[in-house]
Amino acid sequence: MPALTSEASAMLTNPLDLMEQVIGGHGWTFERCTPTEMAAEAPSRWCDYGLFFSWSAELGAILFTCAFDLKAAPTQHADLYELIGLANEQIWVGHFSLDTEDGVLLFRHALLLRGTPAVTDVFEDMIDIALAECERFYPAFRFFLHAGLDAKTALATAMIDCQGEA
């Protein structure tokens, strides 16, 4: 891997400036914590997700994290990793993880931008995919954490496709 030079990093502008426009376009609240970090809140069907964006000019990458409102007790961490692994097998972009320090479930994705112009469509897609995956798997995580279902049962129960109307 070639070493990153300050010349390569200097060519990149801060894509969080553009991300502010994308988040603002949704009407979501956001805060620019530092020049390289931004936080936002995205309302959805199951909960309000905490969105966090971190820009690394050196890597030319944005690290995107979407935090759930669900927390796992330390005693649940080991078994929760099975559910996270099963969920991750079903997604193409990004991955679920667990912040072991505070037990918060996360969806994470890094977007490499070095050598490519940052465009709003890519940022919108990144956010849309993350929120769709979080919404799709939220019930499984909730069944596991609050109903006491094992990982496979929680996932199977959440993935049932209902047909017709009651």
Side-chain angles (χ1 to χ4, degrees), residues 5 10 13 21 31 39 44-45 54 58 60 62 70 77 88 90 95 121 123 126 128-129 148 165:
T5 65
T13 60
Q21 295 173 22
E31 179 180 349
S44 69
R45 178 179 175 194
S54 182
E58 180 181 0
I62 289 181
L70 299 172
H77 289 192
N88 284 340
Q90 298 186 38
H95 66 276
D121 291 348
F123 293 159
M126 179 177 70
D128 289 347
I129 290 168
E165 294 183 29

Side-chain angles (χ1 to χ4, degrees), residues 90 135-140 143 153-162:
Q90 298 186 38
E135 287 289 282
R136 181 164 73 126
F137 289 98
Y138 186 96
F143 288 149
T153 305
L155 186 64
T157 303
M159 296 293 117
I160 293 173
D161 285 329
C162 297

Side-chain angles (χ1 to χ4, degrees), residues 30-149:
F30 68 89
E31 179 180 349
R32 191 71 174 262
C33 309
T34 70
T36 61
E37 295 179 341
M38 187 172 100
E41 188 172 289
S44 69
R45 178 179 175 194
W46 299 113
C47 69
D48 290 344
Y49 294 105
L51 309 180
F52 303 95
F53 306 89
S54 182
W55 166 243
S56 170
E58 180 181 0
L59 295 175
I62 289 181
L63 177 61
F64 170 54
T65 304
C66 183
F68 287 66
D69 69 345
L70 299 172
K71 285 190 175 186
T75 56
Q76 295 174 302
H77 289 192
D79 292 332
L80 181 56
Y81 283 120
E82 180 183 2
L83 178 54
I84 289 170
L86 292 170
N88 284 340
E89 288 177 357
Q90 298 186 38
I91 59 179
W92 280 52
V93 176
H95 66 276
F96 290 103
S97 66
L98 176 66
D99 183 329
T100 55
E101 191 172 306
D102 60 12
V104 172
L105 278 160
L106 306 168
F107 181 88
R108 297 170 49 116
H109 178 63
L111 183 61
L112 300 172
L113 296 172
R114 190 165 53 132
T116 60
V119 293
T120 57
D121 291 348
V122 173
F123 293 159
E124 295 230 9
D125 289 347
M126 179 177 70
I127 294 167
D128 289 347
I129 290 168
L131 293 177
E133 296 296 5
C134 289
E135 287 289 282
R136 181 164 73 126
F137 289 98
Y138 186 96
F141 291 122
R142 185 155 176 83
F143 288 149
F144 176 87
L145 293 171
H146 297 291
L149 298 181

